[in-house]
Amino acid sequence: MAHIVVIGGGPAGLAAAEALAAGGCAVTVVERMPTIGRKMLMAGRGGLNLTHSESLERFLTRYGVARPWLEPALRAFSPDDLRDWAAGLGQPCFVGSSGRVFPQAMKASPLLRAWGARLAEQGVTILTRHAWTGWDGPGRVRVVSPHGERVLAADAVVLALGGASWARLGSDGAWTGLLTGEGVELAPFHPANCGFRTDWSDTLRARFAGTPLRGIALTPESGGPTVRGEAVVTARGLEGGAVYALSALLRDRIAAEGQARLMVDLRPDMTEAALAERLVRVRGRESLSNTLRKALRLPPVAVALLREGPDAPPRDAPSLARLIKAVPVTLTAPDSLDRAISVAGGVRADAVDARFMLRALPGVFVAGEMLDWEAPTGGYLLQACFATGRAAAHGVRDWLQEGGKERYPSCP
């Protein structure tokens, strides 16, 4: 029986372990944190958005330039397959009003417990508090634990170590040095699904940090889609779902031009003319704040945003209406990698073959956020982690059946 070592106990690694064990392999999962699935548990605080219910063709477009090399894995383990898998663990799912798919329990812990029980029944060994430190010769994986260093014999290895965000949950990107030292080509990490920094006034920062801007629409000034939803004013700038949906475009624009301007529509359901009409009815001797509150029910944070420019908001109704429909916010930098929900960068597409095996290291496969892809929030991140984990597992089995271990006796 082939023994496979899976390094990383997140969704990609556990998906690989499950598929390998189901295929008759002995599997050991190495996880440096005290428990498995810590990022999954964090995601579960918001309901655990597993995947999305839109058509598969539409779903695949969410991966942008990474679609061609991820598509086979996503078709082999589709959003419908993920929902069936969750139901098989006693965690049926439902589709929310946005099309996002959640377990009915609306949290990750029941799903993770059931998954762990299945892996135990399959005979999968899980070593927590064990950190991978490299190889100790052909087919020998070196790990270190609180009890010292040990070496695990492996017929193949699956790496599922995550990206470089949320280091405290286990994804710190420290593996990059080990792979570059072996000749694996990596793309640099960049924050994805992230917030952005801007130079707020001291007044706005002090009064409104942590305050949501609800029911708005965001449009990049120099072109791009309009996204409706919610953002949150932070001490550093802006974050939230509507911002994350534009993060790749805004990040790349800042990299190219040094900054990006985002136009905030505070009342996307109303035209300029309708706004101006309401403002005229109320203005009279009222202050700007009272006018905006009475005429348009704008909350204080929205009024503060209107005051952020170098000039005072215009007094005449048509100009004020025009500003309400497009409040400019200058973004100066993405927020830090560790605050990003996910990352772009990692193992390049041309560094792996169709089975997700590293070309530089035959017998070593990679999956999940280690790979150089990005996608928006909405279930696309977890889906690709599950799908590439299972694809890497099938790649391992195919490679072994083809005699890969015998043809590459010097592989790590």
Side-chain angles (χ1 to χ4, degrees):
M1 179 186 293
H3 177 229
I4 315 302
V5 173
V6 176
I7 302 174
L14 297 180
E18 182 181 5
L20 286 163
C25 297
V27 182
T28 299
V29 175
V30 174
E31 169 56 53
R32 73 181 182 91
M33 302 301 284
T35 55
I36 59 173
R38 292 170 83 89
K39 282 185 76 174
M40 198 169 170
L41 287 170
M42 174 65 78
R45 292 185 181 182
L48 192 62
N49 179 196
L50 279 175
T51 188
H52 203 284
S53 63
E54 66 191 358
S55 71
L56 183 58
E57 291 305 316
R58 177 63 175 160
F59 190 96
L60 292 169
T61 66
R62 307 297 189 176
Y63 297 91
V65 296
R67 173 178 175 171
W69 67 302
L70 295 183
E71 183 169 344
L74 290 164
R75 287 190 180 276
F77 192 72
S78 69
D80 286 344
D81 293 326
L82 182 51
R83 293 168 68 177
D84 291 343
W85 170 84
L89 287 173
Q91 298 297 313
C93 297
F94 73 95
V95 179
S97 58
S98 64
R100 299 183 180 200
V101 175
F102 302 87
Q104 288 182 3
M106 284 297 285
K107 53 186 178 181
S109 51
L111 179 65
L112 197 56
R113 282 195 299 269
W115 198 3
R118 175 182 288 178
L119 292 169
E121 289 172 2
Q122 290 179 309
V124 174
T125 299
I126 297 179
L127 302 177
T128 57
R129 301 183 190 272
H130 281 63
W132 173 56
T133 58
W135 289 279
D136 188 43
R140 293 168 60 82
V141 178
R142 194 169 60 240
V143 298
V144 63
S145 75
H147 304 293
E149 188 172 81
R150 62 187 293 192
V151 174
L152 306 176
D155 293 300
V157 175
V158 177
L159 301 178
L161 289 155
S165 63
W166 294 91
R168 65 187 178 86
L169 300 179
S171 298
D172 60 5
W175 51 266
T176 56
L178 289 169
L179 290 193
T180 55
E182 297 290 344
V184 178
E185 293 188 7
L186 307 178
F189 285 124
H190 298 288
N193 293 299
C194 60
F196 289 84
R197 298 184 181 183
T198 190
D199 297 324
W200 295 133
S201 67
D202 292 340
T203 300
L204 187 142
R205 186 180 299 111
R207 289 189 60 194
F208 296 106
T211 306
L213 284 162
R214 295 190 173 93
I216 60 171
L218 303 179
T219 307
E221 183 187 43
S222 53
T226 295
V227 176
R228 296 183 61 157
E230 181 176 313
V232 177
V233 172
T234 71
R236 293 173 300 276
L238 276 179
E239 62 183 28
V243 180
Y244 301 154
L246 295 167
S247 61
L249 186 154
L250 296 170
R251 180 195 68 217
D252 294 347
R253 194 155 292 163
I254 290 171
E257 302 174 10
Q259 64 178 33
R261 286 235 296 183
L262 195 58
M263 312 309 289
V264 183
D265 185 346
L266 297 171
R267 283 291 179 262
D269 291 324
M270 298 181 67
T271 64
E272 279 186 30
L275 290 171
E277 182 181 349
R278 289 198 182 188
L279 290 168
V280 167
R281 288 182 201 165
V282 175
R283 193 62 198 259
R285 296 182 180 179
E286 295 283 359
S287 67
L288 176 64
S289 295
N290 282 341
T291 297
L292 294 169
R293 176 176 57 82
K294 292 179 179 180
L296 305 175
R297 296 183 180 178
L298 286 183
V301 64
V303 177
L305 197 65
L306 288 167
R307 297 183 186 274
E308 275 295 287
D311 302 316
R315 307 292 294 179
D316 64 288
S319 298
L320 183 55
R322 192 173 308 116
L323 178 61
I324 291 167
K325 294 292 289 180
V327 185
V329 176
T330 299
L331 308 176
T332 58
D335 216 335
S336 65
L337 264 178
D338 198 50
R339 287 186 58 84
I341 292 175
S342 59
V343 295
V347 178
R348 295 182 183 274
D350 54 8
V352 299
D353 66 13
R355 296 172 294 196
F356 293 97
M357 185 172 74
L358 291 170
R359 298 185 189 279
L361 296 172
V364 180
F365 298 73
V366 287
E369 283 196 79
M370 290 184 70
L371 301 167
D372 180 20
W373 59 273
E374 63 180 308
T377 58
Y380 310 103
L381 298 169
L382 273 176
Q383 178 71 51
C385 288
F386 277 93
T388 56
R390 293 179 66 88
H394 290 300
V396 169
R397 289 162 53 189
D398 289 347
W399 182 74
L400 291 173
Q401 289 170 4
E402 294 166 5
K405 191 68 178 176
E406 287 71 33
R407 287 188 287 111
Y408 297 101
S410 62
C411 69

